[in-house]
């Protein structure tokens, strides 16, 4: 049985964001494209490509736009493989709380290039920079990159960087 949600905004009221992990095989090694954040939430950390929805956008269109803005790569919305949802709750800074839809992508056009938002870097999937990512990533990202699904809620501690608690949530759709 899934426990009830914590007090605060309901999951349906959380701001929507999207995150995509572009994966390739290079010289026999599976790799993922991450970006070192230059500004904003998560500055200095490695993150997937993504961001907030704009008015009227679907999760797929937001993801395609964000990937191109942050890396210069062009992705067909049909090539986004939806892997689930993450709910991030920050009781000590509720404005940071959000629902993130996770995609994996294996087809795109172009070569990754830096943007105002991040510097893209390819990493071997079995050598992720987890110590330089958000604290929750170690709990779900490796599994998603090898074909898994995720539907979890993470509550962050008052330091705004450490996961205080986490739990599975039921399947979530668009």
């Amino acid at each position: 049985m899934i426990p009830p949600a914590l007090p605060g905004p309901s999951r349906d009221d959380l701001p929507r964001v999207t995150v995509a992990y572009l994966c390739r095989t290079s010289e026999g090694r599976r790799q993922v494209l991450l970006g070192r954040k230059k500004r904003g939430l998560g500055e200095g950390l490695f993150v997937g490509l993504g961001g907030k929805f704009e008015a009227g956008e679907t999760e797929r269109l937001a993801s395609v736009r964000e990937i191109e803005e942050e890396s210069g790569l062009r992705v067909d919305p049909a090539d986004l493989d939806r892997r689930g949802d993450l709910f991030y709750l920050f009781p000590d800074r509720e404005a940071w709380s959000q629902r993130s839809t996770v995609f994996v992508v294996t087809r795109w056009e172009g070569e990754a290039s830096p943007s105002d938002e991040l510097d893209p870097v390819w990493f071997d999937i079995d050598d992720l920079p987890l110590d330089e990512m958000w604290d929750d990533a170690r709990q779900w990202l490796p599994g998603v990159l090898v074909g898994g699904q995720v539907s979890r809620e993470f509550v962050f501690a008052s330091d705004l960087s450490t996961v205080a608690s986490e739990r599975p949530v039921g399947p979530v759709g668009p």
Side-chain angles (χ1 to χ4, degrees):
M1 178 174 185
I2 296 169
L6 295 173
S10 80
R11 284 193 208 105
D12 293 337
D13 295 333
L14 292 174
R16 296 287 308 273
V17 299
T18 181
V19 63
Y21 296 92
L22 285 72
C23 296
R24 70 179 186 187
T25 300
S26 178
E27 299 177 9
R29 297 185 327 266
R30 295 264 304 137
Q31 297 182 324
V32 62
L33 184 66
L34 301 174
R36 171 90 69 186
K37 280 283 278 189
K38 293 180 178 179
R39 62 182 181 175
L41 186 60
E43 182 177 347
L45 297 175
F46 281 108
V47 297
L49 282 60
K52 298 175 185 170
F53 288 31
E54 290 185 354
E57 280 185 322
T58 64
E59 57 193 15
R60 288 180 183 275
L61 293 179
S63 191
V64 166
R65 177 186 49 76
E66 287 285 348
I67 290 167
E68 187 165 7
E69 287 176 5
E70 293 183 348
S71 70
L73 299 172
R74 292 169 306 286
V75 173
D76 184 318
D79 290 329
L80 294 167
D81 180 8
R82 191 177 195 286
R83 296 291 177 90
D85 288 277
L86 299 165
F87 298 88
Y88 295 116
L89 304 178
F90 291 86
D92 292 290
R93 189 160 302 164
E94 286 192 7
W96 285 12
S97 296
Q98 57 189 273
R99 171 185 170 185
S100 180
T101 299
V102 180
F103 292 102
V104 170
V105 183
T106 57
R107 291 176 38 155
W108 58 85
E109 293 179 9
E111 293 293 325
S113 59
S115 68
D116 291 344
E117 195 75 25
L118 56 79
D119 287 319
V121 180
W122 289 100
F123 289 94
D124 288 350
I125 288 176
D126 56 3
D127 193 25
L128 297 172
L130 294 170
D131 290 339
E132 298 179 71
M133 299 180 78
W134 282 98
D135 190 35
D136 64 284
R138 70 185 68 252
Q139 297 182 43
W140 63 269
L141 183 57
V144 163
L145 295 177
V146 296
Q149 298 283 320
V150 65
S151 186
R152 300 200 74 75
E153 177 183 273
F154 293 93
V155 178
F156 283 80
S158 60
D159 66 3
L160 305 176
S161 64
T162 305
V163 171
S165 67
E166 57 90 20
R167 68 188 184 114
V169 295
V172 180

